[in-house]
Amino acid sequence: MLNYQRYQRVPVMQYPEREWPNREIVKAPVWCSVDLRDGNQALIDPMVVDEKLEMYELLLRLGFREIEVGFPAASQIEFDFIRRLIEEDRIPDGVRLQVLSQCRKEQIDRTFECIRGCRNVIFHIYNSTSTLQRDVVFGMSRDEVRELALQGVRWVREGMRDFGGNLMLEYSPESYTGTEPDYALEVCNAVIGEWKPTPEQPMIINLPSTVEMTTPNVFADGVEWMSRRLDRRDSVILSIHPHNDRGTGTATAELALLAGADRLEGTLFGNGERTGNLDILNVAYNMFSQGIDPKLNIENIGEIIAVCERCNKMPIDPRHPYGGKLVFTSFSGSHQDAINKGMQALRERNSKYWAVPYLTIDPADIGRRYEPIVRINSQSGKGGVAFVMDSYFGFKLPKGMHREFADVIQKISEREGEVAPEEIMAAFRESYLDCKEPLHFRRIQVTDLSNETESSFDTKVSVVYTEYGREKSFEAVGNGPLDAVGRGVRESLGREYRILDYTEHALTAGSDSQAAAYIHLMDADSGRVTWGVGVSSNITRASVRGIFSAMNRLHEGASQNGIGV
């Protein structure tokens, strides 16, 4: 039995005046990527300088204007990487490098040494304020922890005397989620009072969900509560830094935006300590799916995946939102059918808005392809098979034919597992287009009898075919080529076939276009029915090939059931 009694419920703030549930996200926040610091420190094999450069260049292309590039006092690699960015003039105008330091003088001094010559910097200092860490890690009182934060601010101001660049201060009460709200406010307001930001020169107060401890609505309450009570609020950029310990990092971020957060810190695809950081791309694509400009250049998710997997040396999960290989894939037959109908409706209605069941966005809008949308296995239905035949190969199977061909694919999938589109086409060709035994149609000549008043029929056909390899022929008349061929088959083969349905369409455009004809045929003697398919540049030949295809399928079915033909 789970020993759940070992765990205490995290206290919930009593905050009935909350207003965030009635708000909507209407614009993008300020984005700050921490891939090169928080993300990098969580890698099994941290990035070397060249890999950090590749990730940094990607972040610039994506449009990030605030990038936490490292913890320069923590390691020489971090220090050297930041120096290279500065010395090689790799920092575009309008981009701020963010550097992290604990509230310790030797670390702050080392950080200033590292950023010498940088034009625009966010100097990010932090100390843990949580009840648990004050007790078991630092053994410090509330007053002592608050004084440590204030001393960190003073050391940063001292370092600014010889810096010369544009510096913005960021302060984080680390483990904010485990800190008493009144104490977190006390420390943050003390820091604000010490730094004295203005609307023209604001500072950042960053509230980290360093460890996600409760539901996202509780965090949102804390953000709104703080936002309403922070001193000099018009001079403060309120930032959040969610982690994902409970698997709700994205929800935490989105509710915090409703609650008044101006800025989000996170990583691409959520790489980070334990279960990871906030997935910035998830939030950005969510905004995009709601018609909001995310203010990031995220049209080519394939490039983002390639760089992240190469630099982080970790794969993107196949089910990861937006980026996973399977997220625009459907195995369920009912889903496949709905996607098929949705895509058809979208084309027919020429709608300016995307609206397809089970696809929240058009995969093409973020650089994905339609081909992976539908994959066929033993759980797939007739709609999915029909969708593959249409979208991949241009065969628009009549609705009445969907079940018959789906049963063919079902048998293959039960035997072999997933069936690729090429395998589906091969089965279609074998079952219909190449079904030429025992009766193989060779050629047809059609004569128009409409001017011959003595004839009650308007068409004469001369058909050559082989039966078990022996060439045979017949001539017949009828009202149109198909009626004439049907009469000829009855007289030549001694069997009565009835055409129940007939459909045709062009496969390709242009002078060399091909036509596909679908014939639903019934053996009048046995009552058995099947479909046949023919393809030709001439619609009459395509139709006759469809009749012979269906007759052969009926013969094959009769042979398997022990019925004489």
Side-chain angles (χ1 to χ4, degrees):
M1 176 178 171
L2 286 173
N3 191 9
Y4 62 88
Q5 295 172 326
R6 293 187 64 198
Y7 302 96
Q8 293 180 307
R9 182 174 299 179
V10 175
V12 175
M13 174 183 293
Q14 297 303 312
Y15 184 55
E17 62 268 34
R18 64 180 65 85
E19 295 182 357
W20 62 262
N22 297 320
R23 298 177 186 148
E24 295 182 14
I25 296 173
V26 295
K27 65 176 183 178
V30 176
W31 305 103
C32 177
S33 162
V34 295
D35 289 86
L36 295 169
R37 198 280 302 169
D38 205 348
N40 185 53
Q41 77 179 37
L43 296 176
I44 298 172
D45 185 8
M47 288 180 265
V48 297
V49 171
D50 286 344
E51 291 168 336
K52 295 192 80 169
L53 278 173
E54 183 178 10
M55 179 67 76
Y56 172 75
E57 293 294 338
L58 172 67
L59 294 171
L60 291 180
R61 290 196 299 276
L62 296 181
F64 285 94
R65 292 296 174 260
E66 297 185 3
I67 303 173
E68 190 165 86
V69 286
F71 195 146
S75 76
Q76 192 63 41
I77 289 179
E78 302 273 285
F79 190 99
D80 292 344
F81 169 65
I82 297 169
R83 288 308 308 160
R84 185 170 174 181
L85 295 181
I86 297 169
E87 292 169 2
E88 295 181 1
D89 197 22
R90 291 177 176 266
I91 309 166
D93 292 339
V95 171
R96 288 191 178 102
L97 296 192
Q98 182 166 305
V99 288
L100 184 70
S101 174
Q102 294 177 352
C103 291
R104 294 169 55 184
K105 188 174 190 309
E106 67 276 13
Q107 289 193 8
I108 291 173
D109 290 345
R110 176 68 169 164
T111 302
F112 270 111
E113 180 185 350
C114 178
I115 62 174
R116 184 181 66 255
C118 187
R119 294 186 296 272
N120 296 294
V121 170
I122 297 173
F123 203 114
H124 184 185
I125 59 173
Y126 73 96
N127 65 312
S128 182
T129 58
S130 77
T131 308
L132 183 62
Q133 292 206 43
R134 293 198 313 263
D135 178 27
V136 303
V137 178
F138 303 110
M140 297 174 70
S141 68
R142 287 168 56 137
D143 289 345
E144 289 171 323
V145 169
R146 183 185 66 251
E147 180 58 29
L148 181 59
L150 293 176
Q151 187 59 59
V153 175
R154 298 182 191 115
W155 285 326
V156 172
R157 181 174 288 113
E158 289 177 11
M160 286 181 63
R161 294 171 186 167
D162 300 321
F163 175 56
N166 176 27
L167 185 145
M168 179 184 287
L169 180 70
E170 175 175 349
Y171 172 71
S172 289
E174 191 202 1
S175 298
Y176 165 74
T177 45
T179 305
E180 308 92 325
D182 66 315
Y183 180 58
L185 179 66
E186 176 186 331
V187 174
C188 288
N189 276 340
V191 167
I192 293 169
E194 184 70 30
W195 187 255
K196 296 180 175 59
T198 66
E200 296 73 30
Q201 293 184 310
M203 70 171 294
I204 299 169
I205 291 293
N206 184 55
L207 304 178
S209 177
T210 310
V211 178
E212 193 174 35
M213 300 174 68
T214 187
T215 52
N217 63 297
V218 175
F219 185 75
D221 279 352
V223 170
E224 183 175 303
W225 188 89
M226 288 285 286
S227 179
R228 288 184 172 187
R229 290 163 174 77
L230 286 173
D231 292 341
R232 301 179 185 239
R233 183 64 180 88
D234 63 346
S235 303
V236 171
I237 298 168
L238 185 56
S239 175
I240 60 167
H241 182 112
H243 278 251
N244 197 44
D245 299 87
R246 291 169 56 91
T248 57
T250 296
T252 293
E254 292 180 331
L255 297 192
L257 291 178
L258 298 177
D262 308 304
R263 181 177 183 269
L264 295 185
E265 292 189 348
T267 61
L268 305 179
F269 298 114
N271 174 51
E273 295 280 12
R274 304 177 307 281
T275 57
N277 284 57
L278 166 69
D279 180 351
I280 281 183
L281 292 175
N282 196 345
V283 178
Y285 284 125
N286 284 354
M287 288 182 178
F288 169 73
S289 74
Q290 298 298 301
I292 300 169
D293 184 356
K295 304 295 184 181
L296 290 174
N297 305 318
I298 51 176
E299 296 91 342
N300 187 357
I301 198 170
E303 179 195 14
I304 305 172
I305 292 170
V307 174
C308 287
E309 290 189 333
R310 185 161 55 248
C311 293
N312 292 337
K313 296 171 277 289
M314 295 174 61
I316 304 302
D317 189 275
R319 298 292 184 190
H320 198 104
Y322 301 101
K325 292 180 179 179
L326 298 179
V327 297
F328 297 116
T329 300
S330 178
F331 289 91
S332 163
S334 61
H335 289 201
Q336 292 161 359
D337 183 58
I339 290 171
N340 184 15
K341 292 173 180 174
M343 295 291 287
Q344 290 176 348
L346 201 66
R347 290 192 294 265
E348 293 168 358
R349 298 172 184 176
N350 196 27
S351 173
K352 64 180 289 189
Y353 295 109
W354 177 261
V356 174
Y358 303 110
L359 292 177
T360 57
I361 64 171
D362 183 347
D365 283 340
I366 62 172
R368 298 293 295 269
R369 300 175 61 189
Y370 284 117
E371 285 82 358
I373 288 177
V374 174
R375 293 167 65 173
I376 306 301
N377 64 11
S378 61
Q379 301 303 306
S380 304
K382 59 185 186 327
V385 175
F387 180 79
V388 168
M389 290 303 299
D390 184 2
S391 60
Y392 281 76
F393 307 109
F395 284 90
K396 303 180 187 303
L397 307 187
K399 189 172 182 62
M401 186 180 175
H402 289 187
R403 171 52 60 196
E404 179 179 285
F405 184 48
D407 288 343
V408 173
I409 302 305
Q410 175 84 7
K411 293 175 182 177
I412 297 174
S413 64
E414 289 175 351
R415 183 175 65 249
E416 301 177 5
E418 183 181 339
V419 187
E422 294 74 17
E423 295 175 282
I424 293 172
M425 183 62 211
F428 182 77
R429 185 174 299 280
E430 179 183 357
S431 299
Y432 297 98
L433 302 182
D434 294 340
C435 191
K436 299 177 179 178
E437 294 297 337
L439 304 171
H440 188 176
F441 166 69
R442 297 296 184 176
R443 57 186 180 274
I444 183 172
Q445 181 179 345
V446 180
T447 304
D448 183 6
L449 302 178
S450 58
N451 293 325
E452 299 181 17
T453 56
E454 68 275 9
S455 174
S456 60
F457 299 107
D458 61 12
T459 305
K460 176 183 177 182
V461 297
S462 298
V463 175
V464 177
Y465 66 99
T466 59
E467 183 175 13
Y468 294 110
R470 298 191 305 274
E471 185 172 295
K472 295 185 177 183
S473 64
F474 62 79
E475 290 186 349
V477 293
N479 290 315
L482 295 190
D483 181 51
V485 170
R487 293 172 183 275
V489 165
R490 181 171 62 248
E491 295 169 2
S492 177
L493 299 178
R495 297 196 66 84
E496 177 76 28
Y497 294 106
R498 295 177 188 170
I499 296 177
L500 303 179
D501 194 10
Y502 167 77
T503 305
E504 65 183 55
H505 66 80
L507 281 173
T508 56
S511 58
D512 59 345
S513 63
Q514 296 275 298
Y518 308 87
I519 304 292
H520 196 199
L521 200 66
M522 180 178 75
D523 183 334
D525 295 332
S526 65
R528 290 181 297 109
V529 296
T530 193
W531 286 84
V533 184
V535 171
S536 174
S537 58
N538 178 283
I539 190 58
T540 297
R541 286 198 300 271
S543 302
V544 177
R545 284 175 178 169
I547 291 174
F548 274 76
S549 167
M551 289 193 297
N552 287 324
R553 286 179 54 77
L554 287 171
H555 176 273
E556 180 181 309
S559 299
Q560 292 174 352
N561 292 313
I563 301 173
V565 179

